[in-house]
Amino acid sequence: MRNIKDTGLIQEEPLIFELGRQGRRGYSLPRWDVKEAEPTDLIPSTLLREEWEGFPELSEVDVVRHFTRLSQWNYGVDSGFYPLGSCTMKYSPKVNEEVARWSGFAGVHPYQPEDLSQGILRLMYELEGFLAEITGMDHVSLQPAAGAHGELAGMMMIRAYLQARGERRKKVLVPDTAHGTNCSTSSIASYQMVEIKSNEKGVVGPEAVASEMDEEVAAIMVTNPNTLGLFEEHLKEIAEIVHRKGGFVYCDGANLNALMGIVKLGDLGVDVVHLNLHKTFSTPHGGGGPGAGPVAVKKGLAPYLPIPVVEKVGETYRLNEDRPQSIGKMKAFYGNFGVLLKAYAYILSMGSEGLRRVSEMAVLNANYLMKRLKGHYFLPYDRPCMHECVFTDRFQERFDVSTLDIAKRLIDYGFHPPTIYFPLVVKGAMMMEPTETESKQGLDRFIETMIEIAREAEENPELLRQAPQKVKVRRLDEVLAARKPKLKWTGEK
Ligand SMILES: *Cc1c(COP(=O)(O)O)cnc(C)c1O
């Protein structure tokens, strides 16, 4: 018999393989008057498994309960506050999910002819227009499936442009406050990355860029707002420096939640920018589901956009594949259409005033959080932030309490921890992004808990080092879990 570990309604749940009993079935049917078919009667033997041993056999209610319980172990934005910095874990209105499931959209087949797909083509065309307007850019491709994928599309367009001009530039400048994907993208796009140090205010100074900028540099990749939650206030000047030497400015706009309706990145000299629809525009980020990382460009780069491109000719929408300079396809068909649909519904339902208000509230909430926690936790860059703020464990170090302990203790209080140990430029970072969808009461509860944890660190540090206590699994060997994930049932735990 397994150990009884249930507490209240938090039930322990074995693996489905352990739950199964031979011969148990998920259905019961009246006795049939035809011969029962064997799998071998119906399926070619080459497609059949050799052995069936060990497969779980369960009743329907066992299966439903198993997965319902597992789903309750999961912590999501629908269950509580989720201040995971750089991820914009905000609540997305359910109506947009509803719209994405309408059969007129969900049932469309990508091979359906254009004249029978005018509605969805129009939707894509208009969504591109909205995103161009929001970012201040000229053209948009909705194809990339993620932020990092949009970055790659953008860098490939820059490379194609430079090649067409007969140039082979080798380097890409990346500030130390850029998102980690910017470094990966520059090297996957075959560029050598040159790091630019941010200044004492946590942003990139024009001098730092000027001293590295030369004719070998294809582009600078700037995250704005950057990973410290700060606005890159010199971007316009930096863009001029880069442009003067024939380079491009790539802006990582995944954190657009802070800027909508307030700043148009295109006005700051940005040539390419990607957005994360699965952060800002009504698809949850990090849920393991599909995402979309549209990439927006200025006119000069338009010939290089991924194919197909949606065009409007008279009153008709069509897909154009005949674009000889295109970098090609980034994704099968047109990208993750359901995500695009939710973004479209979200933008229409918010309106331009509403989107601006989203960003204002996101910034206000982050600054409120920052102001109230300052003094309890060390704030390395003490200046107004955008949509997120970064604290560290410096005040708690003397009690031998670390960022990890603080994050784990939050779990005991029913909160998802913030992003920790990122950005790398800050030692022991705790990066908190409250988003606009939290109420003041919700924020206050989190703030008071953080203050309580700071007190515990001083008075009873062991409590933090032993956290979390009130959970099924305590501290996991995260390195082992990442390096040797156990994805297959072998009969042993
Ligand atoms: C989330 C994020 C990304 C990466 O987006 P993915 O969809 O996870 O690839 C890139 N840059 C920034 C600033 C981000 O916050």
Side-chain angles (χ1 to χ4, degrees):
M1 229 181 108
R2 67 193 168 88
N3 293 337
I4 307 282
K5 285 195 223 146
D6 300 347
T7 54
L9 285 177
I10 305 175
Q11 286 142 333
E12 176 66 357
E13 190 62 22
L15 296 173
I16 198 163
F17 294 91
E18 296 172 284
L19 279 175
R21 291 293 173 274
Q22 215 176 8
R24 206 162 277 174
R25 287 284 174 272
Y27 57 86
S28 62
L29 293 173
R31 186 187 300 277
W32 37 64
D33 56 6
V34 291
K35 184 176 157 289
E36 189 176 353
E38 292 295 326
T40 42
D41 299 336
L42 302 169
I43 300 169
S45 58
T46 48
L47 298 178
L48 279 173
R49 295 176 66 101
E50 307 251 295
E51 25 81 33
W52 270 109
E53 296 314 303
F55 263 71
E57 298 176 53
L58 294 96
S59 67
E60 180 174 319
V61 63
D62 285 343
V63 174
V64 169
R65 284 188 181 154
H66 177 71
F67 287 107
T68 304
R69 284 175 179 167
L70 289 184
S71 77
Q72 289 165 345
W73 288 14
N74 216 353
Y75 189 93
V77 189
D78 287 358
S79 27
F81 187 46
Y82 207 131
L84 198 66
S86 203
C87 289
T88 312
M89 302 300 286
K90 66 185 189 182
Y91 178 79
S92 294
K94 294 284 177 271
V95 65
N96 302 324
E97 296 287 338
E98 180 79 23
V99 168
R101 282 170 179 72
W102 284 352
S103 60
F105 292 122
V108 178
H109 195 279
Y111 281 133
Q112 201 164 298
E114 274 171 23
D115 56 343
L116 297 178
S117 312
Q118 287 297 300
I120 62 154
L121 292 178
R122 176 177 161 194
L123 187 151
M124 287 165 67
Y125 185 83
E126 290 182 0
L127 178 59
E128 288 179 4
F130 295 156
L131 298 178
E133 169 75 21
I134 292 169
T135 51
M137 305 296 282
D138 298 320
H139 294 276
V140 176
S141 168
L142 302 171
Q143 234 178 73
H149 201 204
E151 289 173 36
L152 183 61
M155 292 309 289
M156 286 170 68
M157 285 189 264
I158 291 174
R159 197 176 53 191
Y161 181 103
L162 289 169
Q163 269 172 1
R165 212 163 64 182
E167 289 186 40
R168 284 199 179 277
R169 299 189 174 211
K170 288 205 288 262
K171 297 187 285 189
V172 167
L173 310 181
V174 184
D176 57 6
T177 49
H179 194 264
T181 48
N182 300 174
C183 314
S184 327
T185 300
S186 55
S187 68
I188 289 179
S190 327
Y191 286 107
Q192 182 193 331
M193 190 196 102
V194 179
E195 189 180 87
I196 306 282
K197 289 247 175 295
S198 51
N199 65 18
E200 71 294 339
K201 288 169 87 186
V203 296
V204 188
E207 330 71 50
V209 176
S211 72
E212 293 292 345
M213 188 63 210
D214 58 27
E215 266 87 24
E216 293 265 270
V217 173
I220 184 167
M221 293 188 85
V222 185
T223 301
N224 199 17
N226 69 23
T227 57
L228 292 167
L230 301 175
F231 187 71
E232 289 291 351
E233 57 203 16
H234 307 295
L235 191 51
K236 212 167 170 179
E237 217 180 320
I238 290 169
E240 280 160 21
I241 295 168
V242 173
H243 288 154
R244 225 174 289 136
K245 300 256 160 114
F248 285 87
V249 177
Y250 186 99
C251 183
D252 180 334
N255 293 327
L256 204 76
N257 215 50
L259 302 184
M260 288 185 293
I262 301 170
V263 180
K264 287 189 180 189
L265 291 165
D267 294 347
L268 304 182
V270 168
D271 302 298
V272 195
V273 55
H274 84 265
L275 316 176
N276 275 39
L277 298 189
H278 51 290
K279 279 181 182 167
T280 316
F281 296 97
S282 207
T283 286
H285 175 245
V295 61
V297 297
K298 288 277 175 63
K299 266 195 204 73
L301 286 165
Y304 306 96
L305 284 166
I307 47 168
V309 168
V310 191
E311 292 174 347
K312 187 176 181 194
V313 185
E315 284 311 301
T316 311
Y317 298 90
R318 60 182 206 112
L319 291 165
N320 186 358
E321 302 247 355
D322 183 22
R323 295 174 58 96
Q325 289 177 289
S326 165
I327 56 166
K329 267 184 184 298
M330 290 303 288
K331 181 91 175 74
F333 300 111
Y334 321 112
N336 288 324
F337 185 74
V339 179
L340 308 180
L341 188 46
K342 284 186 279 179
Y344 182 79
Y346 179 69
I347 292 171
L348 284 184
S349 66
M350 297 300 291
S352 51
E353 302 267 307
L355 291 179
R356 183 187 170 104
R357 183 131 179 93
V358 162
S359 292
E360 289 170 350
M361 293 304 292
V363 171
L364 181 65
N365 279 357
N367 279 282
Y368 177 67
L369 188 77
M370 184 181 80
K371 276 269 182 309
R372 285 208 56 198
L373 287 181
K374 195 173 118 179
H376 301 280
Y377 293 91
F378 178 64
L379 183 65
Y381 296 92
D382 189 1
R383 46 188 302 222
C385 65
M386 299 296 288
H387 61 303
E388 61 194 0
C389 55
V390 178
F391 287 96
T392 87
D393 55 2
R394 189 187 289 179
F395 294 165
Q396 284 72 35
E397 252 173 6
R398 63 201 146 117
F399 312 118
D400 205 14
V401 163
S402 67
T403 285
L404 185 69
D405 302 326
I406 296 163
K408 295 293 184 193
R409 187 62 179 153
L410 268 172
I411 297 173
D412 276 337
Y413 286 107
F415 288 105
H416 194 286
T419 295
I420 55 172
Y421 300 109
F422 182 83
L424 303 175
V425 277
V426 174
K427 185 173 163 281
M430 287 180 266
M431 187 194 210
M432 302 173 189
E433 180 180 4
T435 81
E436 76 282 5
T437 55
E438 291 308 313
S439 65
K440 175 160 182 303
Q441 291 69 29
L443 288 179
D444 284 339
R445 219 173 318 131
F446 175 75
I447 290 163
E448 278 142 30
T449 305
M450 283 299 290
I451 294 173
E452 175 62 21
I453 292 174
R455 189 173 25 240
E456 287 176 351
E458 202 166 334
E459 293 167 4
N460 192 358
E462 200 49 33
L463 211 52
L464 273 75
R465 291 193 284 267
Q466 297 292 326
Q469 304 264 4
K470 298 178 193 163
V471 283
K472 259 176 228 309
V473 284
R474 306 271 305 277
R475 289 211 191 183
L476 300 171
D477 186 339
E478 286 159 14
V479 176
L480 189 71
R483 295 243 166 101
K484 292 188 180 168
K486 210 164 154 184
L487 303 174
K488 195 174 166 198
W489 171 243
T490 56
E492 284 164 44
K493 277 209 174 170

